[in-house]
Amino acid sequence: MISKKFFTGIVFVICTFAYSPTYAQMTATIVWDEIKQIASENGFKISAIINQSAEGINIEEFSLINKASENNEFERLEIELVDIALFERSDGSVEIRPDYDQEITIKVYEGNGVSSFVIKPLSDNTNMIISGKVGAPDFQINSSLLGVELNEYELSSGYQGNELFEARITLDGLKSTQAFAGTKQNNPKSSFKADFVKLFLNFDVPDEQMTGLINYQLEDILVVSRQDNSVSSNSANLQLLLENGYNALGSYSVGKGSVEFDLSSPDGNFKGRLASEKSNVSSSLTEDGLIFDAYFSNGLLKLSASVLPIPIDISVKNANYGITLPLLNKNKPQNFGVRLGISDLLIAQDLWGLFDPSNKLSNGPINAKIFLSGKADLFENLTELSTDFYEENYSSQIPLEIEEIHLEKLDLSVMGTSLRGKGKLTLDNEDLITYDGYPKPVGSAEFVLSGVNALVDKFINSGFIDPDTGMGARMMLSMFAIPTGDDELTSKIEFNSLGQVLANGQRLR
């Protein structure tokens, strides 16, 4: 079994000469000292031959060694890196020049066996430059092509020797900038732009009867982020970090994106494709909480598996989701919210047939918009929930108290029927008697239901329900709603301070 720490080593290999937040002076010596510090902080010891000249520093026979520790799942990890030249430019910047003609070798020692992997760096017209002012460095990467590819491998004696592994990740048209500002370089800004990101994985393990093929591709990627007050003596504690003014803003956009996969094992097969044409994500993290919103268009989901009775085939024109979530206990009500929307969700006829075998119901687009907001009191910080919270019989003790719920928008439409609504409730958390242990709600909500009688008729005509069930449904609706138009029903549900529930003025409770 390949240790999880092995993947940490790969990440370090890729990033060790591509990122550091503390290049305060643009000299080759300072850059090399920072590389050594990063290695040490990640538990690695360095072995290298250093040749210093008037132009900078050449690092040869560069290797990293990580021995067994309480945190490691392997006995020893050795990484032989490519040679690196740190070239001091006339403009006061430092250029990092890896030797892309060489290869990276990773050896993982576990028990009596050793696994080795040879990784080939991929590069075309790549420049890595550290520049800027003292105390505010900029790190830039510009490349027509940058990536890595698994070239050779030899697995430990626990494997049969007939396994197949192929892996490659590339970035085309890469432009990346990381800038650090502030007296302690604690206000970093970064941008990442690439024309394409491609990931390819292929494996075949006959002894385990496992095969897999994964193709992942993104186009026109742009990621922008900013952090303020990101460095602190208490940086490991998110609560204190936020209380000391930490905030992070980020945005992500991508053009076309897709992932195709074909996996098989003794448990069955799993094959599918996910795709979209445009996606956007934005996020904000401050002491006031987390705000997250995502949007994508022309989404597609195709899945087939041995455990599924029929393939899944769903498309959607537009979709969005988002949350507003407080994180810190401030001893006062704080805003929360949930946002969800889909337009023109279409289900393939074969899948729709599971619900309508006789094919008598309309398989039209489904649309939904829900926007829920409110105020809640936190009893403890959500940044430090105890692990007991996720255990059985404990998760019901949610450390918050909802004071207001505001249904700002409800708009659903399916099979010619639509439901629209809005409302607001205030919860009396001191009164847990009126509603048998639940806070007493006070407020109202209004709903408009259109096309429901026609839908009931369709259900009856298709044999989905019998006439008596249809009559019962209409009688139930009449208890909560009144006719206000052609196949239109309106309902106003009120919760008053006396603990009564009224529907259009008639008492239900």
Side-chain angles (χ1 to χ4, degrees):
M1 180 179 179
I2 299 174
S3 166
K4 291 186 294 183
K5 292 293 183 179
F6 162 69
F7 296 102
T8 302
I10 292 179
V11 172
F12 183 84
V13 167
I14 297 172
C15 298
T16 188
F17 47 80
Y19 171 82
S20 174
T22 55
Y23 292 120
Q25 301 178 34
M26 304 312 126
T27 68
T29 299
I30 293 299
V31 172
W32 173 233
D33 287 342
E34 288 295 338
I35 292 176
K36 291 187 290 184
Q37 182 177 343
I38 294 173
S40 177
E41 290 175 350
N42 286 273
F44 287 92
K45 291 185 177 181
I46 285 182
S47 175
I49 296 177
I50 305 301
N51 294 313
Q52 194 157 4
S53 66
E55 295 182 340
I57 294 177
N58 291 320
I59 308 167
E60 301 176 351
E61 298 184 22
F62 187 9
S63 63
L64 305 171
I65 301 173
N66 191 323
K67 295 184 178 180
S69 68
E70 294 181 357
N71 298 323
N72 292 343
E73 299 175 1
F74 52 81
E75 293 182 5
R76 184 182 175 93
L77 174 65
E78 296 179 359
I79 305 175
E80 297 177 7
L81 293 167
V82 300
D83 294 347
I84 299 175
L86 304 177
F87 177 74
E88 295 180 348
R89 294 156 50 106
S90 59
D91 60 2
S93 62
V94 175
E95 182 177 351
I96 301 176
R97 298 177 178 177
D99 187 345
Y100 296 106
D101 292 329
Q102 297 181 348
E103 295 177 327
I104 300 167
T105 301
I106 301 175
K107 294 183 179 180
V108 183
Y109 296 82
E110 296 179 286
N112 296 323
V114 57
S115 298
S116 65
F117 304 85
V118 178
I119 298 174
K120 173 63 179 175
L122 304 174
S123 174
D124 180 21
N125 193 27
T126 300
N127 294 304
M128 298 182 182
I129 297 175
I130 300 174
S131 61
K133 300 178 181 179
V134 175
D138 294 342
F139 180 72
Q140 299 179 344
I141 303 177
N142 291 282
S143 177
S144 299
L145 172 69
L146 184 64
V148 291
E149 181 178 42
L150 179 61
N151 203 16
E152 299 177 13
Y153 59 89
E154 183 176 343
L155 303 180
S156 64
S157 57
Y159 293 87
Q160 300 300 313
N162 57 349
E163 295 83 10
L164 169 67
F165 292 97
E166 294 179 289
R168 180 175 63 254
I169 181 171
T170 58
L171 298 90
D172 297 329
L174 172 64
K175 294 182 179 180
S176 175
T177 300
Q178 184 108 20
F180 298 89
T183 56
K184 298 181 180 179
Q185 301 180 22
N186 59 348
N187 300 325
K189 302 176 183 179
S190 66
S191 66
F192 173 93
K193 186 179 183 299
D195 295 335
F196 293 95
V197 174
K198 301 175 184 178
L199 171 67
F200 172 78
L201 296 173
N202 182 28
F203 63 88
D204 183 359
V205 186
D207 191 48
E208 302 286 343
Q209 299 180 24
M210 294 176 58
T211 63
L213 180 64
I214 300 174
N215 267 304
Y216 179 65
Q217 179 169 309
L218 298 176
E219 298 181 15
D220 299 325
I221 308 99
L222 176 63
V223 182
V224 179
S225 67
R226 171 177 178 163
Q227 300 178 66
D228 291 322
N229 303 312
S230 61
V231 177
S232 167
S233 59
N234 301 304
S235 59
N237 188 315
L238 181 57
Q239 172 198 343
L240 295 178
L241 204 60
L242 291 171
E243 290 176 345
N244 289 329
Y246 172 77
N247 65 78
L249 302 174
S251 66
Y252 162 89
S253 65
V254 63
K256 292 183 179 180
S258 66
V259 56
E260 298 181 9
F261 52 89
D262 189 352
L263 310 173
S264 67
S265 72
D267 295 328
N269 303 321
F270 190 46
K271 183 178 181 179
R273 181 173 185 264
L274 289 84
S276 65
E277 290 191 0
K278 184 178 181 180
S279 302
N280 290 284
V281 175
S282 63
S283 64
S284 169
L285 177 63
T286 69
E287 63 174 345
D288 292 327
L290 171 68
I291 300 176
F292 177 89
D293 283 287
Y295 162 88
F296 66 90
S297 63
N298 296 323
L300 178 68
L301 170 62
K302 292 178 178 287
L303 293 176
S304 63
S306 53
V307 296
L308 295 175
I310 196 168
I312 295 175
D313 189 347
I314 298 174
S315 65
V316 61
K317 184 177 181 180
N318 296 295
N320 69 277
Y321 54 93
I323 60 169
T324 299
L325 180 68
L327 298 175
L328 302 181
N329 174 14
K330 294 188 174 183
N331 297 315
K332 65 178 182 179
Q334 300 182 72
N335 295 327
F336 72 87
V338 176
R339 298 167 290 279
L340 176 65
I342 56 172
S343 64
D344 292 347
L345 174 67
L346 297 175
I347 301 175
Q349 191 60 42
D350 289 345
L351 181 59
W352 182 260
L354 292 176
F355 308 97
D356 180 25
S358 59
N359 196 25
K360 294 183 178 180
L361 297 177
S362 173
N363 179 15
I366 300 172
N367 296 276
K369 292 181 180 179
I370 302 173
F371 185 6
L372 192 69
S373 64
K375 291 185 178 294
D377 275 325
L378 293 183
F379 297 144
E380 60 181 277
N381 298 317
L382 297 185
T383 58
E384 52 185 26
L385 283 179
S386 167
T387 54
D388 294 339
F389 175 79
Y390 302 98
E391 295 181 359
E392 188 178 359
N393 300 324
Y394 190 90
S395 59
S396 60
Q397 303 177 27
I398 301 176
L400 61 82
E401 197 171 71
I402 297 177
E403 294 198 355
E404 292 181 6
I405 300 179
H406 188 187
L407 178 60
E408 299 193 33
K409 187 169 189 177
L410 172 64
D411 194 346
L412 307 175
S413 65
V414 59
M415 291 189 291
T417 303
S418 67
L419 172 64
R420 302 186 304 276
K422 61 181 180 179
K424 185 176 181 179
L425 293 177
T426 300
L427 300 182
D428 184 354
N429 292 282
E430 300 297 325
D431 184 352
L432 301 179
I433 298 177
T434 303
Y435 284 86
D436 299 325
Y438 294 94
K440 183 179 72 176
V442 178
S444 64
E446 298 183 16
F447 302 94
V448 178
L449 184 60
S450 303
V452 66
N453 285 309
L455 180 61
V456 171
D457 289 338
K458 291 178 183 178
F459 283 163
I460 294 174
N461 295 333
S462 67
F464 198 75
I465 61 174
D466 56 53
D468 290 340
T469 302
M471 180 62 69
R474 288 190 170 98
M475 293 178 63
M476 182 66 69
L477 285 172
S478 67
M479 296 176 59
F480 297 93
I482 58 176
T484 54
D486 185 17
D487 200 1
E488 180 182 272
L489 301 173
T490 299
S491 178
K492 182 177 182 180
I493 308 299
E494 298 176 90
F495 301 83
N496 64 26
S497 59
L498 300 177
Q500 299 172 340
V501 181
L502 298 92
N504 302 307
Q506 295 189 359
R507 182 175 173 181
L508 300 178
R509 181 185 187 276

